mmCIF file of all heavy atoms in Angstrom:
data_model
loop_
_atom_site.group_PDB
_atom_site.id
_atom_site.type_symbol
_atom_site.label_atom_id
_atom_site.label_comp_id
_atom_site.label_asym_id
_atom_site.label_seq_id
_atom_site.Cartn_x
_atom_site.Cartn_y
_atom_site.Cartn_z
ATOM 1 N N ASP A 51 207.193 58.341 -57.933
ATOM 2 C CA ASP A 51 206.521 59.012 -59.039
ATOM 3 C C ASP A 51 205.384 58.176 -59.624
ATOM 4 O O ASP A 51 204.763 58.561 -60.612
ATOM 5 C CB ASP A 51 207.521 59.401 -60.126
ATOM 6 C CG ASP A 51 208.150 58.208 -60.829
ATOM 7 O OD1 ASP A 51 207.826 57.048 -60.484
ATOM 8 O OD2 ASP A 51 208.972 58.427 -61.741
ATOM 9 N N ALA A 52 205.111 57.015 -59.001
ATOM 10 C CA ALA A 52 204.025 56.152 -59.466
ATOM 11 C C ALA A 52 202.760 56.312 -58.639
ATOM 12 O O ALA A 52 201.789 55.587 -58.843
ATOM 13 C CB ALA A 52 204.482 54.687 -59.446
ATOM 14 N N GLY A 53 202.771 57.241 -57.675
ATOM 15 C CA GLY A 53 201.583 57.521 -56.913
ATOM 16 C C GLY A 53 201.440 56.733 -55.627
ATOM 17 O O GLY A 53 200.438 56.871 -54.920
ATOM 18 N N PHE A 54 202.410 55.896 -55.311
ATOM 19 C CA PHE A 54 202.399 55.207 -54.024
ATOM 20 C C PHE A 54 203.733 55.448 -53.335
ATOM 21 O O PHE A 54 204.685 55.931 -53.959
ATOM 22 C CB PHE A 54 202.125 53.702 -54.182
ATOM 23 C CG PHE A 54 203.110 52.968 -55.057
ATOM 24 C CD1 PHE A 54 204.321 52.526 -54.567
ATOM 25 C CD2 PHE A 54 202.798 52.702 -56.388
ATOM 26 C CE1 PHE A 54 205.233 51.852 -55.369
ATOM 27 C CE2 PHE A 54 203.700 52.019 -57.205
ATOM 28 C CZ PHE A 54 204.916 51.587 -56.689
ATOM 29 N N SER A 55 203.796 55.096 -52.053
ATOM 30 C CA SER A 55 204.997 55.367 -51.259
ATOM 31 C C SER A 55 205.730 54.085 -50.921
ATOM 32 O O SER A 55 205.141 52.998 -50.894
ATOM 33 C CB SER A 55 204.622 56.107 -49.971
ATOM 34 O OG SER A 55 204.094 57.384 -50.257
ATOM 35 N N LEU A 56 207.013 54.222 -50.652
ATOM 36 C CA LEU A 56 207.846 53.133 -50.164
ATOM 37 C C LEU A 56 208.372 53.509 -48.788
ATOM 38 O O LEU A 56 208.554 54.700 -48.486
ATOM 39 C CB LEU A 56 209.016 52.877 -51.122
ATOM 40 C CG LEU A 56 208.641 52.401 -52.529
ATOM 41 C CD1 LEU A 56 209.882 52.371 -53.423
ATOM 42 C CD2 LEU A 56 207.991 51.032 -52.484
ATOM 43 N N LEU A 57 208.633 52.495 -47.983
ATOM 44 C CA LEU A 57 209.074 52.745 -46.615
ATOM 45 C C LEU A 57 210.559 52.446 -46.475
ATOM 46 O O LEU A 57 210.995 51.317 -46.738
ATOM 47 C CB LEU A 57 208.280 51.862 -45.650
ATOM 48 C CG LEU A 57 208.449 52.159 -44.158
ATOM 49 C CD1 LEU A 57 207.919 53.550 -43.828
ATOM 50 C CD2 LEU A 57 207.734 51.090 -43.330
ATOM 51 N N PRO A 58 211.370 53.422 -46.087
ATOM 52 C CA PRO A 58 212.794 53.143 -45.851
ATOM 53 C C PRO A 58 212.966 52.097 -44.755
ATOM 54 O O PRO A 58 212.167 52.028 -43.821
ATOM 55 C CB PRO A 58 213.348 54.499 -45.396
ATOM 56 C CG PRO A 58 212.361 55.515 -45.869
ATOM 57 C CD PRO A 58 211.033 54.833 -45.834
ATOM 58 N N THR A 59 213.996 51.295 -44.863
ATOM 59 C CA THR A 59 214.312 50.335 -43.806
ATOM 60 C C THR A 59 215.290 50.911 -42.800
ATOM 61 O O THR A 59 215.377 50.418 -41.669
ATOM 62 C CB THR A 59 214.912 49.051 -44.403
ATOM 63 O OG1 THR A 59 216.130 49.373 -45.097
ATOM 64 C CG2 THR A 59 213.937 48.393 -45.373
ATOM 65 N N VAL A 60 216.050 51.941 -43.208
ATOM 66 C CA VAL A 60 217.001 52.579 -42.306
ATOM 67 C C VAL A 60 217.040 54.078 -42.567
ATOM 68 O O VAL A 60 216.846 54.530 -43.696
ATOM 69 C CB VAL A 60 218.439 52.015 -42.450
ATOM 70 C CG1 VAL A 60 218.525 50.574 -41.979
ATOM 71 C CG2 VAL A 60 218.949 52.151 -43.881
ATOM 72 N N ALA A 61 217.280 54.846 -41.510
ATOM 73 C CA ALA A 61 217.631 56.253 -41.662
ATOM 74 C C ALA A 61 219.132 56.351 -41.916
ATOM 75 O O ALA A 61 219.885 55.413 -41.639
ATOM 76 C CB ALA A 61 217.250 57.034 -40.411
ATOM 77 N N PHE A 62 219.567 57.469 -42.450
ATOM 78 C CA PHE A 62 220.978 57.620 -42.801
ATOM 79 C C PHE A 62 221.901 57.261 -41.640
ATOM 80 O O PHE A 62 222.887 56.544 -41.807
ATOM 81 C CB PHE A 62 221.262 59.047 -43.259
ATOM 82 C CG PHE A 62 220.698 59.411 -44.606
ATOM 83 C CD1 PHE A 62 220.412 60.732 -44.918
ATOM 84 C CD2 PHE A 62 220.464 58.447 -45.571
ATOM 85 C CE1 PHE A 62 219.901 61.082 -46.160
ATOM 86 C CE2 PHE A 62 219.952 58.776 -46.823
ATOM 87 C CZ PHE A 62 219.667 60.110 -47.112
ATOM 88 N N GLU A 63 221.581 57.793 -40.442
ATOM 89 C CA GLU A 63 222.497 57.590 -39.326
ATOM 90 C C GLU A 63 222.491 56.155 -38.814
ATOM 91 O O GLU A 63 223.390 55.760 -38.057
ATOM 92 C CB GLU A 63 222.157 58.551 -38.174
ATOM 93 C CG GLU A 63 220.828 58.303 -37.501
ATOM 94 C CD GLU A 63 219.688 59.059 -38.145
ATOM 95 O OE1 GLU A 63 219.862 59.554 -39.281
ATOM 96 O OE2 GLU A 63 218.627 59.164 -37.498
ATOM 97 N N GLU A 64 221.513 55.355 -39.221
ATOM 98 C CA GLU A 64 221.431 53.953 -38.800
ATOM 99 C C GLU A 64 222.099 52.999 -39.773
ATOM 100 O O GLU A 64 222.358 51.848 -39.433
ATOM 101 C CB GLU A 64 219.961 53.521 -38.677
ATOM 102 C CG GLU A 64 219.125 54.344 -37.732
ATOM 103 C CD GLU A 64 217.649 54.037 -37.868
ATOM 104 O OE1 GLU A 64 217.215 53.634 -38.976
ATOM 105 O OE2 GLU A 64 216.944 54.179 -36.870
ATOM 106 N N ALA A 65 222.352 53.450 -40.968
ATOM 107 C CA ALA A 65 222.771 52.549 -42.046
ATOM 108 C C ALA A 65 224.168 51.991 -41.801
ATOM 109 O O ALA A 65 225.108 52.732 -41.497
ATOM 110 C CB ALA A 65 222.728 53.276 -43.377
ATOM 111 N N GLU A 66 224.299 50.701 -41.963
ATOM 112 C CA GLU A 66 225.610 50.066 -41.930
ATOM 113 C C GLU A 66 226.289 50.251 -43.282
ATOM 114 O O GLU A 66 225.667 50.633 -44.273
ATOM 115 C CB GLU A 66 225.469 48.580 -41.577
ATOM 116 C CG GLU A 66 224.889 48.345 -40.192
ATOM 117 C CD GLU A 66 224.847 46.867 -39.837
ATOM 118 O OE1 GLU A 66 225.719 46.107 -40.324
ATOM 119 O OE2 GLU A 66 223.938 46.468 -39.092
ATOM 120 N N GLN A 67 227.581 49.955 -43.318
ATOM 121 C CA GLN A 67 228.332 50.122 -44.552
ATOM 122 C C GLN A 67 227.824 49.160 -45.627
ATOM 123 O O GLN A 67 227.679 47.968 -45.395
ATOM 124 C CB GLN A 67 229.826 49.886 -44.321
ATOM 125 C CG GLN A 67 230.681 49.911 -45.584
ATOM 126 C CD GLN A 67 230.584 51.241 -46.331
ATOM 127 O OE1 GLN A 67 230.787 52.294 -45.752
ATOM 128 N NE2 GLN A 67 230.264 51.184 -47.623
ATOM 129 N N ALA A 68 227.574 49.706 -46.799
ATOM 130 C CA ALA A 68 227.106 48.904 -47.925
ATOM 131 C C ALA A 68 228.264 48.195 -48.610
ATOM 132 O O ALA A 68 229.365 48.749 -48.732
ATOM 133 C CB ALA A 68 226.383 49.786 -48.932
ATOM 134 N N ASP A 69 227.999 46.987 -49.067
ATOM 135 C CA ASP A 69 228.906 46.330 -50.013
ATOM 136 C C ASP A 69 228.608 46.818 -51.426
ATOM 137 O O ASP A 69 229.518 46.993 -52.236
ATOM 138 C CB ASP A 69 228.738 44.811 -49.945
ATOM 139 C CG ASP A 69 229.128 44.252 -48.591
ATOM 140 O OD1 ASP A 69 230.321 44.340 -48.246
ATOM 141 O OD2 ASP A 69 228.237 43.762 -47.866
ATOM 142 N N VAL A 70 227.323 46.996 -51.718
ATOM 143 C CA VAL A 70 226.875 47.532 -53.004
ATOM 144 C C VAL A 70 225.971 48.721 -52.727
ATOM 145 O O VAL A 70 224.969 48.594 -52.021
ATOM 146 C CB VAL A 70 226.108 46.473 -53.825
ATOM 147 C CG1 VAL A 70 225.567 47.082 -55.117
ATOM 148 C CG2 VAL A 70 227.007 45.283 -54.146
ATOM 149 N N LEU A 71 226.325 49.875 -53.269
ATOM 150 C CA LEU A 71 225.520 51.081 -53.133
ATOM 151 C C LEU A 71 224.826 51.350 -54.459
ATOM 152 O O LEU A 71 225.475 51.346 -55.507
ATOM 153 C CB LEU A 71 226.403 52.270 -52.764
ATOM 154 C CG LEU A 71 225.707 53.632 -52.684
ATOM 155 C CD1 LEU A 71 224.714 53.672 -51.531
ATOM 156 C CD2 LEU A 71 226.740 54.756 -52.549
ATOM 157 N N MET A 72 223.518 51.560 -54.426
ATOM 158 C CA MET A 72 222.780 51.835 -55.653
ATOM 159 C C MET A 72 221.989 53.135 -55.525
ATOM 160 O O MET A 72 221.330 53.374 -54.510
ATOM 161 C CB MET A 72 221.809 50.706 -55.987
ATOM 162 C CG MET A 72 221.179 50.862 -57.371
ATOM 163 S SD MET A 72 219.879 49.669 -57.717
ATOM 164 C CE MET A 72 218.466 50.429 -56.914
ATOM 165 N N ILE A 73 222.042 53.954 -56.575
ATOM 166 C CA ILE A 73 221.292 55.204 -56.635
ATOM 167 C C ILE A 73 220.309 55.119 -57.797
ATOM 168 O O ILE A 73 220.721 55.051 -58.957
ATOM 169 C CB ILE A 73 222.216 56.422 -56.847
ATOM 170 C CG1 ILE A 73 223.434 56.361 -55.915
ATOM 171 C CG2 ILE A 73 221.426 57.712 -56.652
ATOM 172 C CD1 ILE A 73 223.106 56.376 -54.449
ATOM 173 N N PRO A 74 219.018 55.089 -57.518
ATOM 174 C CA PRO A 74 218.027 55.072 -58.595
ATOM 175 C C PRO A 74 217.801 56.479 -59.142
ATOM 176 O O PRO A 74 218.393 57.451 -58.669
ATOM 177 C CB PRO A 74 216.781 54.525 -57.894
ATOM 178 C CG PRO A 74 216.921 55.022 -56.488
ATOM 179 C CD PRO A 74 218.402 55.027 -56.186
ATOM 180 N N GLY A 75 216.909 56.578 -60.133
ATOM 181 C CA GLY A 75 216.673 57.866 -60.772
ATOM 182 C C GLY A 75 215.251 58.362 -60.594
ATOM 183 O O GLY A 75 214.500 57.881 -59.756
ATOM 184 N N GLY A 76 214.906 59.336 -61.407
ATOM 185 C CA GLY A 76 213.624 60.018 -61.317
ATOM 186 C C GLY A 76 213.856 61.496 -61.073
ATOM 187 O O GLY A 76 214.995 61.938 -60.865
ATOM 188 N N GLN A 77 212.784 62.283 -61.102
ATOM 189 C CA GLN A 77 212.928 63.718 -60.841
ATOM 190 C C GLN A 77 213.577 63.967 -59.493
ATOM 191 O O GLN A 77 214.353 64.908 -59.318
ATOM 192 C CB GLN A 77 211.564 64.415 -60.907
ATOM 193 C CG GLN A 77 211.622 65.899 -60.606
ATOM 194 C CD GLN A 77 212.590 66.659 -61.501
ATOM 195 O OE1 GLN A 77 212.656 66.398 -62.709
ATOM 196 N NE2 GLN A 77 213.359 67.597 -60.938
ATOM 197 N N GLY A 78 213.290 63.113 -58.531
ATOM 198 C CA GLY A 78 213.876 63.286 -57.212
ATOM 199 C C GLY A 78 215.380 63.199 -57.190
ATOM 200 O O GLY A 78 216.032 63.746 -56.283
ATOM 201 N N ALA A 79 215.970 62.518 -58.161
ATOM 202 C CA ALA A 79 217.436 62.460 -58.227
ATOM 203 C C ALA A 79 218.011 63.852 -58.454
ATOM 204 O O ALA A 79 219.051 64.207 -57.879
ATOM 205 C CB ALA A 79 217.878 61.512 -59.331
ATOM 206 N N PHE A 80 217.341 64.662 -59.262
ATOM 207 C CA PHE A 80 217.824 66.017 -59.527
ATOM 208 C C PHE A 80 217.604 66.919 -58.313
ATOM 209 O O PHE A 80 218.423 67.794 -58.026
ATOM 210 C CB PHE A 80 217.149 66.578 -60.779
ATOM 211 C CG PHE A 80 217.572 65.859 -62.026
ATOM 212 C CD1 PHE A 80 216.832 64.798 -62.508
ATOM 213 C CD2 PHE A 80 218.737 66.201 -62.691
ATOM 214 C CE1 PHE A 80 217.227 64.106 -63.631
ATOM 215 C CE2 PHE A 80 219.151 65.519 -63.815
ATOM 216 C CZ PHE A 80 218.396 64.465 -64.296
ATOM 217 N N ASP A 81 216.511 66.695 -57.586
ATOM 218 C CA ASP A 81 216.322 67.434 -56.336
ATOM 219 C C ASP A 81 217.415 67.071 -55.326
ATOM 220 O O ASP A 81 217.875 67.922 -54.555
ATOM 221 C CB ASP A 81 214.946 67.119 -55.749
ATOM 222 C CG ASP A 81 213.808 67.544 -56.660
ATOM 223 O OD1 ASP A 81 214.011 68.484 -57.457
ATOM 224 O OD2 ASP A 81 212.724 66.929 -56.579
ATOM 225 N N THR A 82 217.851 65.818 -55.348
ATOM 226 C CA THR A 82 218.882 65.355 -54.417
ATOM 227 C C THR A 82 220.235 66.003 -54.701
ATOM 228 O O THR A 82 221.090 66.080 -53.805
ATOM 229 C CB THR A 82 218.996 63.816 -54.485
ATOM 230 O OG1 THR A 82 217.713 63.246 -54.157
ATOM 231 C CG2 THR A 82 220.029 63.267 -53.520
ATOM 232 N N LEU A 83 220.433 66.504 -55.911
ATOM 233 C CA LEU A 83 221.691 67.184 -56.222
ATOM 234 C C LEU A 83 221.928 68.368 -55.299
ATOM 235 O O LEU A 83 223.066 68.821 -55.153
ATOM 236 C CB LEU A 83 221.704 67.661 -57.684
ATOM 237 C CG LEU A 83 221.568 66.610 -58.784
ATOM 238 C CD1 LEU A 83 221.749 67.252 -60.153
ATOM 239 C CD2 LEU A 83 222.560 65.467 -58.586
ATOM 240 N N GLU A 84 220.868 68.891 -54.689
ATOM 241 C CA GLU A 84 220.998 70.054 -53.805
ATOM 242 C C GLU A 84 220.619 69.700 -52.368
ATOM 243 O O GLU A 84 220.212 70.575 -51.591
ATOM 244 C CB GLU A 84 220.174 71.204 -54.369
ATOM 245 C CG GLU A 84 220.658 71.585 -55.775
ATOM 246 C CD GLU A 84 220.074 72.870 -56.312
ATOM 247 O OE1 GLU A 84 219.049 73.345 -55.764
ATOM 248 O OE2 GLU A 84 220.655 73.423 -57.265
ATOM 249 N N ASP A 85 220.775 68.433 -52.019
ATOM 250 C CA ASP A 85 220.519 67.955 -50.656
ATOM 251 C C ASP A 85 221.854 67.518 -50.061
ATOM 252 O O ASP A 85 222.293 66.384 -50.247
ATOM 253 C CB ASP A 85 219.541 66.782 -50.700
ATOM 254 C CG ASP A 85 219.190 66.235 -49.322
ATOM 255 O OD1 ASP A 85 219.959 66.463 -48.367
ATOM 256 O OD2 ASP A 85 218.159 65.552 -49.205
ATOM 257 N N PRO A 86 222.558 68.403 -49.342
ATOM 258 C CA PRO A 86 223.907 68.076 -48.884
ATOM 259 C C PRO A 86 223.968 66.900 -47.925
ATOM 260 O O PRO A 86 224.963 66.171 -47.914
ATOM 261 C CB PRO A 86 224.384 69.370 -48.208
ATOM 262 C CG PRO A 86 223.147 70.125 -47.898
ATOM 263 C CD PRO A 86 222.163 69.780 -48.970
ATOM 264 N N VAL A 87 222.934 66.679 -47.133
ATOM 265 C CA VAL A 87 222.954 65.552 -46.199
ATOM 266 C C VAL A 87 222.888 64.231 -46.969
ATOM 267 O O VAL A 87 223.630 63.288 -46.679
ATOM 268 C CB VAL A 87 221.807 65.669 -45.186
ATOM 269 C CG1 VAL A 87 221.758 64.446 -44.282
ATOM 270 C CG2 VAL A 87 221.964 66.939 -44.348
ATOM 271 N N ALA A 88 222.003 64.163 -47.954
ATOM 272 C CA ALA A 88 221.903 62.952 -48.763
ATOM 273 C C ALA A 88 223.191 62.721 -49.556
ATOM 274 O O ALA A 88 223.674 61.583 -49.668
ATOM 275 C CB ALA A 88 220.711 63.045 -49.707
ATOM 276 N N LEU A 89 223.767 63.789 -50.093
ATOM 277 C CA LEU A 89 225.012 63.643 -50.850
ATOM 278 C C LEU A 89 226.154 63.175 -49.957
ATOM 279 O O LEU A 89 226.993 62.357 -50.366
ATOM 280 C CB LEU A 89 225.373 64.961 -51.530
ATOM 281 C CG LEU A 89 224.421 65.433 -52.631
ATOM 282 C CD1 LEU A 89 224.894 66.761 -53.196
ATOM 283 C CD2 LEU A 89 224.283 64.405 -53.744
ATOM 284 N N ASP A 90 226.185 63.683 -48.743
ATOM 285 C CA ASP A 90 227.218 63.241 -47.802
ATOM 286 C C ASP A 90 227.057 61.761 -47.482
ATOM 287 O O ASP A 90 228.046 61.023 -47.394
ATOM 288 C CB ASP A 90 227.134 64.060 -46.514
ATOM 289 C CG ASP A 90 228.191 63.648 -45.513
ATOM 290 O OD1 ASP A 90 229.387 63.742 -45.829
ATOM 291 O OD2 ASP A 90 227.821 63.202 -44.409
ATOM 292 N N PHE A 91 225.814 61.303 -47.325
ATOM 293 C CA PHE A 91 225.564 59.880 -47.085
ATOM 294 C C PHE A 91 226.077 59.045 -48.258
ATOM 295 O O PHE A 91 226.757 58.026 -48.067
ATOM 296 C CB PHE A 91 224.070 59.642 -46.884
ATOM 297 C CG PHE A 91 223.705 58.186 -46.799
ATOM 298 C CD1 PHE A 91 223.922 57.471 -45.635
ATOM 299 C CD2 PHE A 91 223.157 57.538 -47.898
ATOM 300 C CE1 PHE A 91 223.601 56.115 -45.565
ATOM 301 C CE2 PHE A 91 222.828 56.190 -47.838
ATOM 302 C CZ PHE A 91 223.053 55.477 -46.666
ATOM 303 N N VAL A 92 225.765 59.478 -49.474
ATOM 304 C CA VAL A 92 226.234 58.738 -50.657
ATOM 305 C C VAL A 92 227.755 58.725 -50.704
ATOM 306 O O VAL A 92 228.373 57.689 -50.971
ATOM 307 C CB VAL A 92 225.642 59.358 -51.940
ATOM 308 C CG1 VAL A 92 226.241 58.704 -53.183
ATOM 309 C CG2 VAL A 92 224.126 59.209 -51.956
ATOM 310 N N TRP A 93 228.361 59.867 -50.432
ATOM 311 C CA TRP A 93 229.827 59.967 -50.440
ATOM 312 C C TRP A 93 230.448 58.967 -49.460
ATOM 313 O O TRP A 93 231.365 58.211 -49.815
ATOM 314 C CB TRP A 93 230.245 61.391 -50.072
ATOM 315 C CG TRP A 93 231.735 61.553 -49.927
ATOM 316 C CD1 TRP A 93 232.500 61.267 -48.834
ATOM 317 C CD2 TRP A 93 232.638 61.994 -50.932
ATOM 318 N NE1 TRP A 93 233.819 61.519 -49.077
ATOM 319 C CE2 TRP A 93 233.934 61.962 -50.355
ATOM 320 C CE3 TRP A 93 232.485 62.432 -52.236
ATOM 321 C CZ2 TRP A 93 235.062 62.349 -51.075
ATOM 322 C CZ3 TRP A 93 233.610 62.813 -52.952
ATOM 323 C CH2 TRP A 93 234.881 62.777 -52.364
ATOM 324 N N ARG A 94 229.958 58.964 -48.239
ATOM 325 C CA ARG A 94 230.532 58.105 -47.196
ATOM 326 C C ARG A 94 230.312 56.628 -47.510
ATOM 327 O O ARG A 94 231.211 55.803 -47.321
ATOM 328 C CB ARG A 94 229.952 58.470 -45.831
ATOM 329 C CG ARG A 94 230.436 59.814 -45.303
ATOM 330 C CD ARG A 94 229.923 60.119 -43.900
ATOM 331 N NE ARG A 94 228.509 60.467 -43.891
ATOM 332 C CZ ARG A 94 227.540 59.671 -43.482
ATOM 333 N NH1 ARG A 94 227.825 58.447 -43.042
ATOM 334 N NH2 ARG A 94 226.287 60.071 -43.484
ATOM 335 N N GLN A 95 229.136 56.295 -47.988
ATOM 336 C CA GLN A 95 228.860 54.906 -48.326
ATOM 337 C C GLN A 95 229.697 54.457 -49.535
ATOM 338 O O GLN A 95 230.224 53.333 -49.563
ATOM 339 C CB GLN A 95 227.365 54.719 -48.626
ATOM 340 C CG GLN A 95 226.493 54.748 -47.387
ATOM 341 C CD GLN A 95 226.609 53.472 -46.568
ATOM 342 O OE1 GLN A 95 226.791 52.380 -47.101
ATOM 343 N NE2 GLN A 95 226.506 53.607 -45.259
ATOM 344 N N ALA A 96 229.820 55.320 -50.524
ATOM 345 C CA ALA A 96 230.595 54.978 -51.714
ATOM 346 C C ALA A 96 232.056 54.716 -51.379
ATOM 347 O O ALA A 96 232.708 53.844 -51.973
ATOM 348 C CB ALA A 96 230.487 56.092 -52.758
ATOM 349 N N ALA A 97 232.581 55.465 -50.406
ATOM 350 C CA ALA A 97 233.993 55.317 -50.046
ATOM 351 C C ALA A 97 234.316 53.924 -49.537
ATOM 352 O O ALA A 97 235.445 53.438 -49.717
ATOM 353 C CB ALA A 97 234.362 56.359 -48.990
ATOM 354 N N GLY A 98 233.347 53.245 -48.922
ATOM 355 C CA GLY A 98 233.612 51.923 -48.361
ATOM 356 C C GLY A 98 232.974 50.779 -49.107
ATOM 357 O O GLY A 98 233.140 49.617 -48.716
ATOM 358 N N ALA A 99 232.233 51.081 -50.178
ATOM 359 C CA ALA A 99 231.504 50.041 -50.899
ATOM 360 C C ALA A 99 232.417 49.289 -51.865
ATOM 361 O O ALA A 99 233.372 49.839 -52.407
ATOM 362 C CB ALA A 99 230.336 50.651 -51.666
#
Side-chain angles (χ1 to χ4, degrees):
D51 66 0
F54 58 83
S55 295
L56 296 172
L57 190 64
T59 61
V60 293
F62 289 155
E63 67 271 15
E64 303 169 332
E66 297 184 30
Q67 175 59 53
D69 296 295
V70 176
L71 176 67
M72 189 187 82
I73 314 299
Q77 178 56 41
F80 292 93
D81 298 334
T82 301
L83 300 186
E84 300 191 343
D85 181 339
V87 176
L89 294 179
D90 180 60
F91 173 78
V92 174
W93 174 277
R94 289 184 287 105
Q95 286 286 326

